[in-house]
């Protein structure tokens, strides 16, 4: 597999073309941003941790029936994935109140829901990723009803598997964000990443935060938290 020109640079990853038009290479950076890019920093080792944890979880998801873009881990930071066009929706699943949910509805963080919730944000930097409902997404042709139905089912299936994985290593899965893509043959697959950048992980015993909120809220020990999560999930250093 030959790595060719850079196609795209995002906040946390770069994407490169390959000699196969249906495959691209994602390269994870240590750069961290929050609050719409207003807060910037570096989390040393984050790129490798997010790359390896994402791949570890995507393989399990694939085996449990959720199709993903994952093809092959190339090295610590780089992974070969299927080229997709990203459905411009952030799909957010919540098991416990936190973050924008707590703020928007004026409730405290840490309230356990009896059932998980789903919501969508329209991925649009100029508009600051506003919350959007399914009718609006269809009206704007961001996805079809069938695609939204599939995305919703996959997202809850991801929650089931992820919740069980996390419970097994003493972690409470509070909420997370997924992105889906469409392959050249029109198939919807899970894309992007599943990592402490995109999930809220709380220690089951102490409720200590083991995710990007440590960076967002200047709680310190950011690198330690990412490392701790990788160790717990993958049993690896
Ligand atoms: N999230 C994300 N990218 C975003 C917005 C949210 O990965 O652009 C994740 C976030 O880490 C959390 C979940 O989605 O696990 C829900 O985030 P929330 O809506 O509470 O927003 P926040 O408080 O992070 O602004």
């Amino acid at each position: 597999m030959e790595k060719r020109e850079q196609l795209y640079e995002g906040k946390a990853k770069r994407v490169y073309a390959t000699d196969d038009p249906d495959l691209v290479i994602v390269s994870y950076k240590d750069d961290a941003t929050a609050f719409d890019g207003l807060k910037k920093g570096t989390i040393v080792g984050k790129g490798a941790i997010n790359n390896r944890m994402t791949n570890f979880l995507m393989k399990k998801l694939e085996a449990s029936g959720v199709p993903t873009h994952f093809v092959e881990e190339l090295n610590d930071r780089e992974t070969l994935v299927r080229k997709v066009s990203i459905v411009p929706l952030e799909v957010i699943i919540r098991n416990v109140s936190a973050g924008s949910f707590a703020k928007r509805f004026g409730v405290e963080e840490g309230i356990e829901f009896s059932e998980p919730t789903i919501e969508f944000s329209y991925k649009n930097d100029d508009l600051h990723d506003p919350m959007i409902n399914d009718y609006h997404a269809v009206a704007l042709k961001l996805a079809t009803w069938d695609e939204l139905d599939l995305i919703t089912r996959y997202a809850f299936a991801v929650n089931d598997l992820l919740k069980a994985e996390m419970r097994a290593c003493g972690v409470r899965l509070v909420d997370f964000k997924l992105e889906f893509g469409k392959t050249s043959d029109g198939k919807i697959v899970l894309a992007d990443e599943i990592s402490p950048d995109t999930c809220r992980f709380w220690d089951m015993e102490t409720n200590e935060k083991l995710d990007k909120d440590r960076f967002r809220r200047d709680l310190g020990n950011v690198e330690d938290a990412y490392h701790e999560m990788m160790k717990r999930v993958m049993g690896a250093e």
Side-chain angles (χ1 to χ4, degrees):
M1 186 53 52
E2 196 190 317
K3 184 170 165 184
R4 294 202 175 155
E5 78 278 9
Q6 182 176 307
L7 297 175
Y8 172 81
E9 176 157 15
K11 295 182 194 112
K13 299 189 239 13
R14 293 187 187 93
V15 179
Y16 296 91
T18 69
D19 47 0
D20 183 332
D22 279 325
L23 298 175
V24 294
I25 294 171
V26 290
S27 180
Y28 286 71
K29 304 191 279 185
D30 284 352
D31 298 357
T33 64
F35 311 120
D36 241 348
L38 249 56
K39 185 181 171 82
K40 289 190 177 67
T42 302
I43 302 174
V44 176
K46 169 174 93 79
I49 291 172
N50 288 3
N51 180 44
R52 295 178 58 202
M53 196 186 297
T54 295
N55 294 341
F56 179 87
L57 294 169
M58 287 226 182
K59 281 186 235 174
K60 289 195 182 258
L61 286 164
E62 193 79 55
S64 81
V66 177
T68 76
H69 71 166
F70 175 79
V71 177
E72 186 192 357
E73 189 168 291
L74 299 175
N75 57 55
D76 257 16
R77 276 175 198 278
E78 295 184 315
T79 296
L80 188 64
V81 300
R82 295 185 68 177
K83 186 172 188 172
V84 296
S85 59
I86 292 287
V87 176
L89 294 172
E90 296 191 338
V91 181
I92 296 168
I93 298 279
R94 301 178 190 273
N95 298 300
V96 178
S97 68
S100 72
F101 181 97
K103 202 169 165 196
R104 175 176 297 118
F105 300 119
V107 297
E108 61 193 299
E109 296 196 303
I111 302 166
E112 189 98 30
F113 303 148
S114 52
E115 280 177 56
T117 69
I118 189 166
E119 75 209 40
F120 303 107
S121 294
Y122 177 24
K123 259 175 81 75
N124 183 317
D125 281 339
D126 295 338
L127 300 175
H128 313 291
D129 300 344
M131 195 163 162
I132 187 171
N133 75 24
D134 44 0
Y135 285 86
H136 297 159
V138 171
L140 291 171
K141 297 195 163 51
L142 308 182
T144 66
W145 282 111
D146 282 349
E147 288 166 352
L148 287 179
D149 180 58
L150 205 51
I151 285 171
T152 301
R153 283 191 286 127
Y154 288 156
F156 283 122
V158 172
N159 188 44
D160 289 341
L161 184 136
L162 219 52
K163 236 178 9 187
E165 284 291 317
M166 294 307 150
R167 192 185 306 118
C169 60
V171 173
R172 200 169 170 205
L173 178 64
V174 172
D175 58 27
F176 58 94
K177 184 263 303 181
L178 300 175
E179 294 184 23
F180 291 86
K182 225 161 124 173
T183 60
S184 57
D185 50 355
K187 209 174 124 197
I188 293 284
V189 299
L190 180 65
D192 196 46
E193 64 178 288
I194 305 174
S195 72
D197 268 12
T198 61
C199 306
R200 285 194 170 94
F201 297 129
W202 294 358
D203 179 86
M204 210 109 86
E205 300 294 317
T206 64
N207 278 329
E208 186 193 359
K209 297 184 198 318
L210 297 170
D211 57 55
K212 194 172 159 188
D213 270 349
R214 301 206 72 85
F215 169 77
R216 293 190 189 98
R217 304 180 188 187
D218 294 320
L219 298 176
N221 300 325
V222 185
E223 277 90 358
D224 293 346
Y226 278 70
H227 252 105
E228 175 67 18
M229 275 310 300
M230 181 166 79
K231 213 164 64 186
R232 288 202 198 184
V233 171
M234 303 182 57
E237 274 308 315

